[in-house]
Amino acid sequence: MAINKMKTGFTSLTAGITASVAAAIMALPAHGWEMGDPIVTYWAGPGYPGCKMQISDESLKQLKDCGFNLVWASSKKDLDLIAKWGLRAICQLGIDRGKNLDPDNCDGFRRRIEGLKGHPALYIYHHCDEPSVGWFKGLAADCRIARSIDPKHPTWVNLLPTYANNSQLGLEGEIISAYREHVRLFLETYDPAFVSYDHYQLNNGWDTSNYFLNLSIVQQACAARGIPFMNGVQACTWCSPQNFASPSAPRIPGPDEMRYLVYTTLAYGAQGIYYYVYSFPKHKGSIVSEDGVPDAKYYELSKLNPIFVATAKQLRGYRLMGAYFKGYCPRGGTPYGPNAILDFADGTKSEPSPEKKELADSILVSRFDALNRPTRLMVVNLDYRKERSLEITAPSAVTRFDPNAGKWMPLGRKFTLDLAKGEGTLLQVDNSPCRQE
């Protein structure tokens, strides 16, 4: 990628963004689908098969009050209620994972789509969860049938995370290389309107590695095709009672960890987020109990989810140019350098660290550029255990996006950012149009 100097004195990374690439960045979404607001949804909750909580006025009010804008539906009655509350719906296609349609014998499948496609609440069809490569061609055939009947509502396939094994991926070789190929083959074969995957890294004893690598792999693959992606994050534990206290068991995230997950998702340019789970049997510490009682995460997410939507909208039309880590740099990131633009006065250094070292005391600065538009930066406090006060100097005047007011507020060239545990904020470097010189 070409790198040119800008008149403001910092580095332009958009010299390599051609008009065609810029058009692809702006083309959110594709396939005749209108994405609308960035997605905030859940896996397993009201409307999802097997959930004790059903779609009702009470459950939809609770979801809407928490900032969810996409919910599951299992019947026409569900869809009607969802429309009443001004929400969007996921409808299942009723295909078992790994079992694909025979194009010559799919009357029931066609009838289901024909019966659903005109409903005002319908947003997407759920197609399959975590398929192996061997299923891609059959799933793609299903998708083409669905798209021929209803081009306005895409089918949704949720992909595996980087810690899937070779058998699950359906590919041999070194696991990260196999995972990259898994994602590439899915995009090439299925031609999705958007991509989602899930990655749950919060254990009792440690945070597992590769969370940021997974974000990076999916983000880069989607950016190359000009399509958005959605990140699935952990919101509970699901281990058996006898293993609940094991160091390697998934832990119950608290409000501060949810804040960290939301802002790191934004920092890689995601246009959607979903939480595993909202409420479901045999899952502890969920956002809402099986009886509908919210926990502390619910109230934090009621603030974070509208922030996610407002901030993600501000990143549309922009391309992530780099995720720069000041402090420990994990896989999927880039050590902090001049392209991150901001100078910090706190003395944090970007030095090699042992693989097991946590991200405490690290700062993430993600840079987003677009043709003839000011650079935008997402700054995230990666420590979800303590607040940070950051003294910052920029090469030109900076404004800060207030997601609650929907306005950009002036900060100047030298300013202090006070960030809560795991919190982030979106900045804009003014007088810095990203143009070729």
Side-chain angles (χ1 to χ4, degrees):
M1 180 177 294
I3 297 177
N4 291 340
K5 279 290 186 181
M6 298 180 63
K7 291 178 181 178
T8 49
F10 58 85
T11 315
S12 169
L13 299 183
T14 52
I17 296 184
T18 63
S20 61
V21 174
I25 296 170
M26 294 299 292
L28 291 180
H31 306 294
W33 172 55
E34 294 183 4
M35 187 178 197
D37 283 348
I39 296 169
V40 179
T41 189
Y42 55 88
W43 193 277
Y48 187 88
C51 181
K52 182 177 179 180
M53 294 181 69
Q54 300 299 308
I55 292 294
S56 65
D57 284 320
E58 182 181 13
S59 65
L60 290 173
K61 180 181 185 303
Q62 188 180 63
L63 283 160
K64 190 167 185 174
D65 287 349
C66 194
F68 288 90
N69 59 27
L70 179 60
V71 302
W72 292 75
S74 57
S75 67
K76 173 69 162 50
K77 180 182 176 182
D78 286 354
L79 285 170
D80 291 342
L81 273 177
I82 291 165
K84 170 186 169 182
W85 281 90
L87 297 169
R88 305 175 292 186
I90 306 164
C91 287
Q92 290 191 305
L93 286 178
I95 302 171
D96 291 335
R97 183 166 68 174
K99 296 180 180 179
N100 309 126
L101 289 170
D102 177 352
D104 297 322
N105 186 24
C106 56
D107 289 345
F109 176 77
R110 291 178 180 274
R111 284 195 301 270
R112 178 162 176 76
I113 296 175
E114 290 284 1
L116 291 170
K117 70 177 186 179
H119 200 286
L122 177 64
Y123 184 67
I124 55 175
Y125 301 101
H126 177 249
H127 192 184
C128 185
D129 183 36
E130 299 184 338
S132 176
V133 162
W135 306 342
F136 287 177
K137 288 184 178 180
L139 290 171
D142 301 348
C143 177
R144 287 191 292 272
I145 293 170
R147 194 174 290 163
S148 70
I149 302 168
D150 183 4
K152 294 184 178 180
H153 300 104
T155 51
W156 169 29
V157 173
N158 187 61
L159 295 181
L160 289 156
T162 52
Y163 49 81
N165 60 40
N166 293 101
S167 176
Q168 290 170 312
L169 295 173
L171 293 168
E172 297 180 354
E174 188 272 326
I175 198 64
I176 297 302
S177 297
Y179 183 77
R180 291 183 189 275
E181 180 67 0
H182 180 90
V183 173
R184 186 193 70 79
L185 287 171
F186 174 74
L187 291 170
E188 182 181 277
T189 307
Y190 195 90
D191 187 26
F194 74 102
V195 169
S196 88
Y197 73 101
D198 46 18
H199 191 112
Y200 311 135
Q201 86 276 26
L202 304 175
N203 289 347
N204 286 326
W206 58 83
D207 295 356
T208 61
S209 61
N210 291 342
Y211 169 71
F212 291 101
L213 178 62
N214 213 151
L215 276 165
S216 177
I217 291 171
V218 173
Q219 183 276 325
Q220 290 178 21
C222 290
R225 297 179 68 91
I227 60 173
F229 78 96
M230 176 164 63
N231 185 25
V233 300
Q234 180 177 340
C236 67
T237 185
W238 52 92
C239 62
S240 59
Q242 59 268 32
N243 294 324
F244 185 75
S246 168
S248 61
R251 70 178 183 264
I252 299 172
D256 298 327
E257 289 153 312
M258 300 313 298
R259 192 181 307 114
Y260 163 88
L261 293 170
V262 167
Y263 281 106
T264 51
T265 298
L266 282 168
Y268 276 76
Q271 286 290 310
I273 190 168
Y274 79 81
Y275 303 97
Y276 183 87
V277 302
Y278 185 79
S279 176
F280 205 67
K282 298 182 180 179
H283 289 64
K284 295 182 180 295
S286 303
I287 297 168
V288 171
S289 73
E290 287 190 67
D291 296 320
V293 179
D295 81 346
K297 285 191 293 295
Y298 175 91
Y299 298 104
E300 183 62 28
L301 289 173
S302 69
K303 295 179 284 187
L304 289 171
N305 287 335
I307 288 172
F308 178 89
V309 172
T311 306
K313 284 182 178 179
Q314 294 296 318
L315 294 174
R316 285 184 172 171
Y318 278 79
R319 189 181 184 108
L320 177 66
M321 307 308 293
Y324 303 100
F325 287 76
K326 194 159 182 64
Y328 169 58
C329 183
R331 296 179 75 183
T334 302
Y336 204 81
N339 288 337
I341 299 176
L342 303 178
D343 289 329
F344 292 85
D346 63 356
T348 336
K349 297 179 180 179
S350 185
E351 297 176 344
S353 301
E355 182 66 24
K356 292 292 185 181
K357 185 173 180 179
E358 295 183 359
L359 285 162
D361 298 323
S362 295
I363 303 159
L364 169 58
V365 178
S366 293
R367 176 171 174 167
F368 296 87
D369 283 354
L371 280 174
N372 301 313
R373 297 169 72 178
T375 290
R376 291 181 175 173
L377 305 169
M378 176 65 68
V379 181
V380 183
N381 171 19
L382 295 178
D383 194 335
Y384 49 73
R385 297 185 180 94
K386 68 179 182 182
E387 299 85 2
R388 297 294 298 273
S389 184
L390 306 173
E391 299 292 330
I392 296 174
T393 302
S396 59
V398 171
T399 53
R400 180 180 187 176
F401 181 63
D402 181 342
N404 296 310
K407 297 179 180 179
W408 289 89
M409 311 300 291
L411 291 177
R413 284 191 62 241
K414 294 185 178 182
F415 53 93
T416 300
L417 278 185
D418 293 317
L419 298 176
K421 301 170 185 177
E423 186 184 17
T425 192
L426 183 62
L427 306 178
Q428 179 169 283
V429 184
D430 293 337
N431 304 316
S432 59
C434 297
R435 60 182 180 272
Q436 281 188 257
E437 297 188 351

